[in-house]
Each structure stands twice: as C-alpha cells, then as structure tokens.
Amino acid sequence: MSELRRRQLVLGGAAATAVAVGGTASPAVASEPGGQRPFRPPAGPRYRVISDNDYSGDPDGLYQLVHHLLSPSVDLRAAIGSHLAPGDPFDPSTQQATNAYRRILEVLRLMGLTGRLPAYQGSNVALVDARTPQRSAGAQAIVAEAMRSDSQLPLFATFGAGLTELASAHLMEPRIAERLTAVWIGGPEYPDLGVPPPPGSSGVEYNLRIDLTAAQVVFDSPIPLWQVPRNVYRQALVSMTELITQVRPAGRIGKHLYERIFDIFELAAGAGLNMGETYILGDNPLVLLTALQSSFEADPSSSRYVTRFAPRINDDGTYTPRESGRQIRVYTELDARLMFSDLFAKLQIHRDRGR
C-alpha cells in the first residue's frame, strides 16, 4: 500500500469516527444556509481545538475567536475566558476572566451562534505556586476534553494570553500531556536567534507576565508545545485601512471587531500616544497553525520554526537553555498572507450569508 493511500485511509477513518461520536464542523460554518457557500472539507474537521484567551483584554483575541469559529477544518470544542495581569489597563478589574467569558457570549450572540459553542470561565487569578492548580471551569474543561475516549481527532489547546488553565489542568490530571498539543502566543525573543527585543520594551513579556509561574509549570512539563514568541506574533501586522475595508463591512460581528480596535486608538490618543495606522493581531497565528495546515503531510508548512529543548523560564522572564528533556517548536516566521487573506475572505462570506 502506498504511503499516500495509507494516510488517506487513516485520515478517513478518523473523520468517520468523529462523525459517529458527534464530532461536527465549526459552529459558524454549519449555520444558516443561503448566500455564498463556504468551503466545507468533505471528510469533516481534522482537529479538535480548545480556545483559551484574555477576551476582556487586547481585542486581537476576539479576531482569533471569530476566525476559529469560521474555520471548518477544526471542531472548536470550547472557548475559555482567562485573566490578565493584575491592574491591566485593558481590564483593571478583579473579574477579568468573568468579563472575558462574557465577551465570548457577546461574540456568539453577534454571530447568531448563541448556545452553539460551550463557553467557560477560567480563573480570575494566577497560580500561587507551581504545585497548586486553580480549579476553574476552564481548567476542568481542558481535562475533560483531553481525556475523552470517543474521538480520534487530535486535540490542540490554544492560548493567546497566560497559561493558568493549562498549567492547572496538568496539575489536576498529568495524563493530559499525552493527549493534546498546546499552542501558545507568548514569551520573549530567543537571544541565540539574533532577534532583539522591540524598541522601548522592558520587563517580562506581556503574556508571560500574566502568569509566570504557570509558564514555568508548562515548560517544565512533558506537554507538547508550539510557541510563538514576541518577535513572531508581532509579524501579524495589519493596517487600519485593511480593517475598514475587509472587517468593518462584515455585518454585526465585523463592525464589533473593528470598533473594539478603534477604541484602543482613541484611548491611546487621549493618553498622548500616537499609534500610527497599524495594529498587531497577534493571536491569529493560533488559527494559522491549527486550522490552516497543509493538505498532504498536514503541518503549518508555510510558517517556519526551529526545534529545541524546552528552556527553563527564569523568575525574571528570561530563558535558561537546557541540553536535554523534551523538545518544543519555536516559530520564527508566519505566513501572514495566508492567515489574513483567509480571515478576510471568511468574514466576507459570513457577511454575505447573513443578508
């Protein structure tokens, strides 16, 4: 039997099993008929995905959530609202994960998907130490999905902020490390890759600072990890003109997405900060690396990465290299063309179908 035929049979069997046990396409793709028809993979979704993000913070997470909802090659199993660092200007409250959960529900309402995707609240606070989990509904949802025995679809758990829920889930049930791959937007530049920190940056990288202890737990664990560090997620740059023409016209959700970022520009201007005319949608690589993998020999083949032993995360947010242990992927370059062309096209189809 040829390698191609073997892969076809394996992939087909996995898809058939998923359908048999209730696996479905992405909720938005299975919504109301009519208008332009989005592409739906005939074999069904390829992966299961859990989305964990600080949805009450930087609005780039809302773009990621909508993009995942519009991607039929993944079965989005849960969305989890997570916390920010204490006093974060995006949401200085003590109920950040609660507010993030509410933002998920708002997105689902605007897309006509209320009740179509399980949403959970993560912890409102970070880990207190490297041994004690924060037992939130979000962490429990990760454990439950990872430990399912009725689906053969591989599971990606994606994180656009801190790693509190992933670390807590692993502390609660270490066996999840054998049953999922984590994709994380966060962490500083790697000095040996020759990329300097961005101008004016200081202190611990933003997402790492949300819960540094949780990152230490994850990097010290056996969990398979794909990391998108700061110098790489900053490549996810769009112009406000693109958002005006490609996002804002896309119905209620497009208007909502655009206005959330325009709000940031207005707030910044009021504080004397000139943000120019671009914005970093730094969480959309979570979609690129999961939903937009290549057809044959599935992998994020148009984005580049290096493989290395997982470093130790120091208390000051820097890395200490290791010479043994498990290896992780560290992405160095993103296919921004594919990522944003796909997002804009799916938003257009969503708009047309809603007319």
Side-chain angles (χ1 to χ4, degrees):
M1 180 184 298
S2 70
E3 176 64 13
L4 175 58
R5 181 57 178 158
R6 185 186 68 80
R7 289 176 182 270
Q8 289 172 332
L9 290 174
V10 170
L11 288 173
T17 301
V19 172
V21 300
T24 61
S26 184
V29 175
S31 63
E32 61 188 52
Q36 290 192 53
R37 294 182 59 191
F39 173 77
R40 300 181 186 181
R46 182 185 259 177
Y47 302 116
R48 292 175 291 148
V49 168
I50 295 172
S51 174
D52 180 301
N53 215 327
D54 56 351
Y55 293 115
S56 72
D58 188 336
D60 64 343
L62 302 178
Y63 282 72
Q64 168 264 314
L65 177 59
V66 170
H67 198 177
H68 258 139
L69 282 165
L70 294 173
S71 297
S73 66
V74 296
D75 180 5
L76 192 58
R77 302 297 305 172
I80 301 169
S82 61
H83 68 90
L84 299 150
D88 188 286
F90 282 112
D91 182 354
S93 77
T94 59
Q95 301 296 310
Q96 296 163 338
T98 305
N99 293 335
Y101 165 76
R102 292 170 178 162
R103 292 284 179 88
I104 296 170
L105 299 183
E106 183 178 26
V107 164
L108 295 175
R109 177 182 62 81
L110 291 171
M111 297 181 72
L113 297 174
T114 297
R116 299 287 296 277
L117 174 70
Y120 302 93
Q121 180 182 313
S123 171
N124 276 310
V125 295
L127 296 187
V128 296
D129 58 51
R131 301 175 302 280
T132 308
Q134 293 288 359
R135 295 181 179 272
S136 67
Q140 292 169 346
I142 293 173
V143 172
E145 187 63 34
M147 299 309 296
R148 283 177 58 192
S149 60
D150 60 350
S151 175
Q152 296 180 29
L153 293 183
L155 174 62
F156 283 102
T158 66
F159 300 85
L163 292 169
T164 304
E165 276 70 60
L166 179 60
S168 296
H170 182 255
L171 291 170
M172 291 159 57
E173 176 49 88
R175 290 181 296 169
I176 70 167
E178 304 168 1
R179 305 176 69 88
L180 61 77
T181 297
V183 188
W184 180 47
I185 306 291
E189 298 73 15
Y190 282 80
D192 63 306
L193 295 179
V195 181
S201 65
S202 62
V204 181
E205 185 273 329
Y206 185 89
N207 283 348
L208 177 58
R209 182 167 57 89
I210 291 173
D211 194 341
L212 193 146
T213 301
Q216 291 172 328
V217 170
V218 170
F219 274 68
D220 289 346
S221 77
I223 297 172
L225 178 64
W226 297 0
Q227 181 189 7
V228 182
R230 178 170 54 192
N231 60 295
V232 183
Y233 68 69
R234 282 170 54 84
Q235 296 173 17
L237 196 65
V238 295
S239 75
M240 292 300 291
T241 304
E242 286 181 293
L243 300 188
I244 288 173
T245 61
Q246 304 296 325
V247 174
R248 190 173 63 175
R252 293 188 300 169
I253 191 60
K255 182 174 183 288
H256 179 73
L257 291 176
Y258 174 79
E259 289 181 348
R260 295 295 71 76
I261 287 185
F262 187 75
D263 289 345
I264 304 303
F265 276 75
E266 288 194 317
L267 290 172
L273 176 62
N274 188 338
M275 292 180 58
E277 58 178 289
T278 64
Y279 201 82
I280 297 170
L281 295 181
D283 289 343
N284 280 80
L286 297 174
V287 185
L288 173 69
L289 301 180
T290 56
L292 301 180
Q293 295 193 18
S294 57
S295 49
F296 297 106
E297 292 80 41
D299 198 58
S301 59
S302 58
S303 297
R304 297 182 181 180
Y305 65 88
V306 297
T307 303
R308 58 179 51 207
F309 295 115
R312 178 176 294 106
I313 303 291
N314 302 316
D315 290 341
D316 63 357
T318 60
Y319 304 116
T320 294
R322 288 187 172 110
E323 297 182 357
S324 62
R326 92 183 188 297
Q327 293 191 323
I328 64 172
R329 287 189 183 189
V330 178
Y331 277 84
T332 60
E333 186 175 343
L334 302 172
D335 185 348
R337 196 252 1 133
L338 172 62
M339 180 169 63
F340 288 126
S341 294
D342 184 74
L343 170 64
F344 297 154
K346 284 172 176 170
L347 282 170
Q348 179 179 337
I349 292 176
H350 177 76
R351 174 197 65 190
D352 293 343
R353 297 176 78 227
R355 286 177 177 171

